[in-house]
Amino acid sequence: MMDTFRKTGPPSALRVEAAGLRWLAQAQDGGGARVVEVVAEGEGWLETELVQEGRADPTAAEDLGRALARTHAAGAASFGCAPDGWHGNGWMGEAPLPLHEPDEDSPGTWGAFYAADRILPYLPDARDAGAVDEEGATVIERCARRVADGAFDAPQPALVPGPVARLHGDLWSGNVLWSARGGAVLIDPAAHGGHAESDLAQLGVFGTPHRDRIVTAYDEVSPLSDGWQERVALHRLHILIVHAALFGGGYGAQTVAAARRYA
């Protein structure tokens, strides 16, 4: 019998999390990354399998890189689209996450989506928290304009069949569990359609073990676009500005420093 874990919280946050887990799990049959299994859900609670944690090792990290490439390759209808079965916005921690209805006819562009939905919505709260001052806000806004104009748009990795990848969306180290039975298991997604480089960049924000091996293995099966290394800080900008909005402190300085590179 499967050991399970039950969490409680805002009903909408748990429902979109469950939808995201199921959407990401669709890629597992094609070799995609393993995600924690949804066992049951109800109003204000979500029950998933319990992952007995072990230690990360290089082989598991390489396996995760190859599997994550196949998850991204499952694709999505449009930038910022919600996972199947969900209508409305999502959550990234306690921060609202703009999501849209899937639109295969008009997938949009990464730059326009990223500026409008992943950078600028969090700037007012980051300023109110005292994490970003007027000068810093100007830098972030200038960066966002360049992003929206497409200055940093780039092709998806080679395995992704269309313009939009299927993302975990909040892939920092705490959302990668290393199972005692072997391999990585992903939890707590903020799943949406986006650019694959965003997931890979987020892995480095708080020091995921063996990240270099994850990325190298990923690149071997799904080569990344030229110049991806120069875009890493830009793809981290979303998670940084969310942290600046929620927690203030030094996250604001990190956000401004990242934005300045592209402003």
Side-chain angles (χ1 to χ4, degrees):
M1 183 175 178
M2 179 189 297
D3 292 329
T4 62
F5 170 76
R6 178 178 286 213
K7 64 190 295 187
T8 59
S12 63
L14 295 177
R15 286 198 298 269
V16 69
E17 179 181 337
L21 287 169
R22 292 187 176 105
W23 190 53
L24 295 171
Q26 292 173 7
Q28 291 177 161
D29 287 344
R34 182 184 166 198
V35 297
V36 71
E37 182 181 344
V38 176
V39 177
E41 61 183 298
E43 189 68 15
W45 60 272
L46 175 64
E47 188 174 355
T48 65
E49 66 172 304
L50 177 66
V51 178
Q52 300 293 341
E53 293 188 67
R55 298 184 63 180
D57 66 72
T59 298
E62 292 169 359
D63 289 343
L64 173 59
R66 290 185 282 267
L68 187 60
R70 294 181 173 92
T71 295
H72 291 161
S78 48
F79 286 107
C81 72
D84 290 351
W86 181 253
H87 306 280
N89 289 328
W91 295 89
M92 189 168 183
E94 296 181 0
L97 184 77
L99 295 175
H100 307 284
E101 291 295 311
D103 189 348
E104 293 182 353
D105 295 329
S106 299
T109 65
W110 176 77
F113 146 73
Y114 195 68
D117 287 354
R118 296 296 180 264
I119 300 176
L120 293 177
Y122 306 98
L123 182 55
D125 284 345
R127 294 173 68 175
D128 291 345
V132 175
D133 60 16
E134 291 297 325
E135 180 183 355
T138 298
V139 171
I140 293 168
E141 289 168 345
R142 191 163 65 241
C143 171
R145 285 195 294 271
R146 294 197 69 209
V147 172
D149 287 343
F152 308 103
D153 284 8
Q156 296 279 358
L159 282 184
V160 180
V164 190
R166 184 170 305 199
L167 299 194
H168 177 282
D170 191 12
L171 200 57
W172 67 287
S173 59
N175 287 339
V176 181
L177 302 184
W178 302 94
S179 171
R181 298 180 180 179
V185 183
L186 307 185
I187 64 170
D188 293 350
H192 63 275
H195 200 293
E197 290 179 16
S198 294
D199 269 356
L200 294 173
Q202 289 179 352
L203 282 169
V205 174
F206 299 116
T208 302
H210 308 296
R211 177 182 175 270
D212 288 348
R213 286 181 178 265
I214 295 172
V215 176
T216 297
Y218 184 110
D219 188 49
E220 288 173 355
V221 299
S222 186
L224 294 157
S225 298
D226 290 344
W228 69 267
Q229 295 96 330
E230 285 72 45
R231 294 186 293 272
V232 169
L234 180 59
H235 283 273
R236 289 177 180 166
L237 189 55
H238 173 225
I239 197 169
L240 290 175
I241 198 168
V242 167
H243 277 72
L246 290 177
F247 308 115
Y251 291 116
Q254 293 179 54
T255 300
V256 174
R260 196 181 301 277
R261 296 181 57 177
Y262 306 97

